[in-house]
Amino acid sequence: MYLEKHKCLHTALLILVLLGTCMVIGDGVLTPAISVFSAVSGLELSMSNNHHQYAVVPITCFILVCLFALQHYGTHRVGFLFAPVVVAWLLCISALGLYNIIYWNPHVYQALSPYYMFKFLKKTKKGGWMSLGGILLCITGSEAMFADLGHFSYAAIQIAFTFLVYPALILAYMGQTAYLSQHHDNTNHIGFYISVPEKLRIPVLIIAILASVVGSQAIISGTFSIINQSQSLGCFPRVKVVHTSDKIHGQIYIPEINWMLMILCVAVTIGFRDTKHMGNASGLAVMTVMLVTTCLTSLVIILCWHKPPIVALSFLLFFGSVELLYFSASLTKFTEGAWLPMLLALILMTIMFIWHYATIKKYEFDLHNKVSLEWLLALGSSLGIARVPGIGLVFTDLTSGIPANFSRFVTNLPAFHRVLVFVCIKSVPVPYVPPAERYLVGRVGPPAHRSYRCIVRYGYRDVHQDVDSFETELAARLADFINYDWHRAHGTYSFPEDNASLSNESSTECRLAVIGTVSFSSIPPYEVEESVQPASVSGGFPTVDSVTDVIEMEPVGVVERRVRFATDDESVTHSSADMDFQMQGELEDLSTAQQAGTAFIIGHSHVQAKQGSSVLKRLALNFGYNFLRRNCRGPDVALKVPPVSLLEVGMVYIV
């Protein structure tokens, strides 16, 4: 309740989440560069100083270009090689670690005791604290595994990390420590390959390069995934998302982001040319992500898990203090490479915040400029308005009322389709929406007007349908709704609260029904009293109302509607003898309109800051947002609307 009351906290929470998201994207730039570069840098022990500096950077750039050039094929074609490569790499570094421990210093296991950590910090003081920023490479990369949460379960990742990855890393670093304890005078080469026996360096180099490619692929896939989820939640400009696998859900490819990542990775490799600066940059990005994740998890403990605040505070203090120590140490490396992730995060946060802010303002403008239902019902032949054959799909962000772009359309072209459907596509804050809960359908006006409202809900990880299947599915859902509404109106099933609800809704739109996939002849429908918001979506996750729905429902004072969860059948099995004559006519009109064709009516927006706005707001909206809008994918392209069926209505938003 405290968070809900203070809007400044909403903004602070949004900025915190955007910061973590941008740092993950920045990690998608830095991790491939440092992974491949550090693997290829093993050549320096096999080449002279004059030659290796001219070989490592070009070879690294070549591997990176090949890695990003192959992204559009998807990981499912070569994914079967990933597990053997990673297992081989982990077993390789484990074996090397054991060899170095036994051969050089068997007592190095004592370094696992926290006593030496405190002794080190007590002895070195400020120097020891500053050195923490230089050892972040020991943990960077391990977080990339969690980018694969879309492909594997929590238990699988936890088991793999606990029983394979973590022991392998500990053995590898203990082995390097054992070697360095006997060779601490050699300051020219302090790295992984110096502790590898000379005869094994080439095979280890090959495995390391392959493992670096697999690790890079993990964070690249994670970057694609988080950008796709961000744009689904209205926090990133629309980009093209290609699903590379028909069988494995979640494997996606974003062309624009892919090539931008490639250019940035190559630029980082050529610009830094050493693992020290790349490590400092990557370390700051990873520690920022971890710190933000800890802060957000403490909120999840209270808001979602419903634990006492003392539990969340203890969690935050324990993990946050450790991460804050490393984070502050990594900030001291600002001039040594750590400036890069901060610069990338600043640019990305600016883009994402401007896009999100303008999206909210556009929604508020639509909300306050929508027209009443009476205006729509008054349109008729007496005013020179014609109804043409076909289905008109009017896309809007509103879940109630008539959008301003439709009134502008009718004003300039006094005609609209025989069957009119106001379609609202909502991205709700859950990963997936079950198909049975995807469509909410209701009437707009009396049955004779042939106007409907359909809210289509997608989770932020759902795959959106193409236009052909969407048209077919929408028409089927409309037919099912008409069938359901006929049963309800004629009392085939009992609805004890109908009389009470009708009195509240007599002057507004009719109720919306969730049209599922269960047979009409089975269990009777049941009612759930709630407002028409994405919070009604069940997905096994605690959900909250989205910002846009809160904005819509609060100031306007729309009466609360009852969402009726209905059951249906894909094919209408009732005989024509039992069907009402008006029902037959409505279904025939729908079928005739579907055969005549479908038109997609979409608003083409231009945003301007209103008079008297601050300079910052004018720059953000007039230049920043409109530049992003012109250079990203339009709503018609995102919805895959064929140009021959598209009708665009120009709209100027003064916000």
Side-chain angles (χ1 to χ4, degrees):
M1 291 175 63
Y2 184 77
L3 286 173
E4 288 290 338
K5 288 179 181 178
H6 299 81
K7 290 193 175 182
C8 60
L9 294 179
H10 296 180
T11 305
L13 186 60
L14 174 65
I15 292 175
L16 183 65
V17 174
L18 292 183
L19 175 62
T21 303
C22 294
M23 284 296 182
V24 172
I25 299 173
D27 198 21
V29 173
L30 297 167
T31 296
I34 191 173
S35 299
V36 178
F37 187 89
S38 59
V40 176
S41 63
L43 292 171
E44 67 179 338
L45 298 178
S46 305
M47 305 173 66
S48 64
N49 291 333
N50 295 329
H51 292 89
H52 82 81
Q53 60 181 344
Y54 298 108
V56 174
V57 173
I59 292 175
T60 301
C61 293
F62 175 76
I63 294 175
L64 288 173
V65 170
C66 292
L67 174 64
F68 284 100
L70 296 175
Q71 288 297 314
H72 69 280
Y73 290 109
T75 57
H76 63 284
R77 300 181 187 274
V78 292
F80 67 94
L81 295 174
F82 287 2
V85 168
V86 174
V87 171
W89 169 247
L90 294 174
L91 294 178
C92 174
I93 62 176
S94 300
L96 290 172
L98 283 173
Y99 167 79
N100 287 322
I101 291 170
I102 296 172
Y103 189 80
W104 296 110
N105 189 351
H107 300 287
V108 74
Y109 69 89
Q110 297 177 11
L112 292 175
S113 172
Y115 166 76
Y116 293 100
M117 175 183 69
F118 290 110
K119 185 177 180 180
F120 167 77
L121 292 175
K122 182 179 179 181
K123 183 178 180 179
T124 57
K125 297 181 180 178
K126 184 179 179 181
W129 166 69
M130 293 182 65
S131 68
L132 295 178
I135 64 173
L136 287 173
L137 283 179
C138 297
I139 57 174
T140 56
S142 60
E143 84 288 345
M145 293 186 305
F146 292 90
D148 290 329
L149 279 174
H151 308 282
F152 303 100
S153 64
Y154 295 96
I157 294 177
Q158 290 169 345
I159 292 172
F161 183 82
T162 304
F163 297 104
L164 181 60
V165 178
Y166 182 73
L169 291 174
I170 291 297
L171 288 174
Y173 290 127
M174 287 175 64
Q176 292 182 56
T177 304
Y179 178 87
L180 291 174
S181 67
Q182 304 299 323
H183 300 82
H184 51 78
D185 294 331
N186 186 5
T187 57
N188 293 328
H189 298 289
I190 299 179
F192 169 72
Y193 288 102
I194 193 66
S195 64
V196 178
E198 189 173 355
K199 294 181 180 180
L200 298 177
R201 282 176 183 169
I202 298 302
V204 172
L205 175 67
I206 295 173
I207 298 177
I209 293 175
L210 293 176
S212 69
V213 170
V214 174
S216 301
Q217 181 60 56
I219 194 63
I220 291 170
S221 299
T223 303
F224 290 159
S225 177
I226 200 168
I227 289 177
N228 182 41
Q229 295 175 20
S230 297
Q231 76 162 351
S232 296
L233 297 173
C235 292
F236 200 88
R238 290 181 293 267
V239 291
K240 181 181 181 181
V241 178
V242 179
H243 295 269
T244 57
S245 175
D246 296 330
K247 298 179 181 178
I248 303 176
H249 184 85
Q251 292 191 0
I252 60 175
Y253 164 70
I254 304 177
E256 301 97 322
I257 302 300
N258 181 70
W259 301 122
M260 292 177 67
L261 288 178
M262 185 195 75
I263 293 172
L264 291 173
C265 280
V266 172
V268 168
T269 304
I270 296 175
F272 283 155
R273 292 175 175 263
D274 67 272
T275 55
K276 177 185 175 182
H277 289 79
M278 293 184 192
N280 293 335
S282 180
L284 180 61
V286 171
M287 285 314 304
T288 305
V289 172
M290 290 184 175
L291 193 58
V292 170
T293 303
T294 299
C295 295
L296 296 178
T297 304
S298 63
L299 286 178
V300 170
I301 291 174
I302 298 175
L303 300 178
C304 300
W305 299 349
H306 305 293
K307 301 294 183 181
I310 188 65
V311 177
L313 184 61
S314 302
F315 173 86
L316 181 62
L317 290 177
F318 179 76
F319 289 100
S321 58
V322 176
E323 292 165 354
L324 196 59
L325 186 66
Y326 279 93
F327 178 75
S328 60
S330 62
L331 285 177
T332 63
K333 310 291 183 180
F334 180 83
T335 58
E336 300 177 23
W339 57 269
L340 181 60
M342 298 183 70
L343 178 62
L344 291 175
L346 179 63
I347 296 172
L348 287 170
M349 281 184 64
T350 302
I351 292 173
M352 296 176 72
F353 190 84
I354 288 175
W355 185 267
H356 179 75
Y357 177 78
T359 302
I360 294 296
K361 288 299 181 182
K362 283 176 57 181
Y363 186 86
E364 291 177 346
F365 182 89
D366 281 336
L367 186 64
H368 292 103
N369 289 275
K370 63 183 180 181
V371 295
S372 64
L373 177 63
E374 287 73 15
W375 175 87
L376 176 66
L377 299 179
L379 298 177
S381 56
S382 60
L383 298 177
I385 305 295
R387 301 292 292 267
V388 297
I391 300 177
L393 301 182
V394 182
F395 285 86
T396 175
D397 291 330
L398 301 180
T399 56
S400 62
I402 310 302
N405 62 350
F406 179 73
S407 63
R408 185 175 178 83
F409 171 76
V410 174
T411 302
N412 290 275
L413 183 66
F416 57 94
H417 295 81
R418 187 70 185 91
V419 175
L420 190 64
V421 185
F422 296 96
V423 180
C424 175
I425 296 180
K426 286 285 185 183
S427 291
V428 294
V430 294
Y432 305 102
V433 175
E437 297 184 24
R438 189 174 306 283
Y439 290 87
L440 282 85
V441 186
R443 294 190 187 277
V444 179
H449 201 268
R450 304 295 191 257
S451 297
Y452 310 91
R453 182 178 305 281
C454 180
I455 301 175
V456 188
R457 301 177 294 183
Y458 289 99
Y460 54 80
R461 289 171 62 183
D462 273 326
V463 179
H464 289 226
Q465 299 163 289
D466 57 69
V467 168
D468 293 334
S469 62
F470 176 74
E471 281 187 52
T472 305
E473 183 77 9
L474 181 60
R477 294 295 142 247
L478 286 175
D480 292 338
F481 168 75
I482 295 170
N483 195 358
Y484 155 75
D485 196 56
W486 178 79
H487 278 90
R488 181 196 59 78
H490 287 73
T492 305
Y493 298 134
S494 60
F495 300 93
E497 297 184 7
D498 271 356
N499 293 332
S501 63
L502 284 173
S503 62
N504 290 333
E505 299 180 357
S506 58
S507 62
T508 60
E509 300 176 31
C510 295
R511 61 182 61 82
L512 297 176
V514 177
I515 302 300
T517 57
V518 187
S519 173
F520 268 108
S521 59
S522 60
I523 304 173
Y526 61 92
E527 293 185 343
V528 175
E529 291 187 15
E530 57 186 341
S531 54
V532 185
Q533 299 181 22
S536 64
V537 178
S538 63
F541 293 86
T543 60
V544 295
D545 299 342
S546 66
V547 176
T548 52
D549 287 316
V550 172
I551 292 173
E552 176 170 347
M553 292 302 171
E554 284 183 354
V556 179
V558 179
V559 294
E560 192 176 70
R561 293 183 174 79
R562 288 175 173 78
V563 179
R564 191 179 309 280
F565 291 81
T567 56
D568 71 340
D569 193 354
E570 293 292 338
S571 59
V572 180
T573 57
H574 299 282
S575 63
S576 58
D578 297 329
M579 186 173 290
D580 183 81
F581 176 76
Q582 293 181 354
M583 186 67 185
Q584 292 184 21
E586 191 170 1
L587 288 173
E588 288 174 2
D589 285 348
L590 177 62
S591 177
T592 304
Q594 186 179 7
Q595 294 175 5
T598 303
F600 297 80
I601 304 172
I602 299 176
H604 185 81
S605 61
H606 181 80
V607 179
Q608 289 182 357
K610 59 186 177 183
Q611 293 291 333
S613 299
S614 64
V615 176
L616 189 61
K617 183 177 179 179
R618 291 202 299 269
L619 287 175
L621 295 179
N622 297 352
F623 298 98
Y625 177 77
N626 286 318
F627 174 81
L628 293 173
R629 180 188 56 80
R630 288 192 298 267
N631 290 277
C632 72
R633 294 167 65 82
D636 56 319
V637 180
L639 295 169
K640 302 176 183 177
V641 176
V644 69
S645 303
L646 176 64
L647 288 172
E648 286 190 305
V649 183
M651 285 288 296
V652 177
Y653 291 83
I654 309 296
V655 297

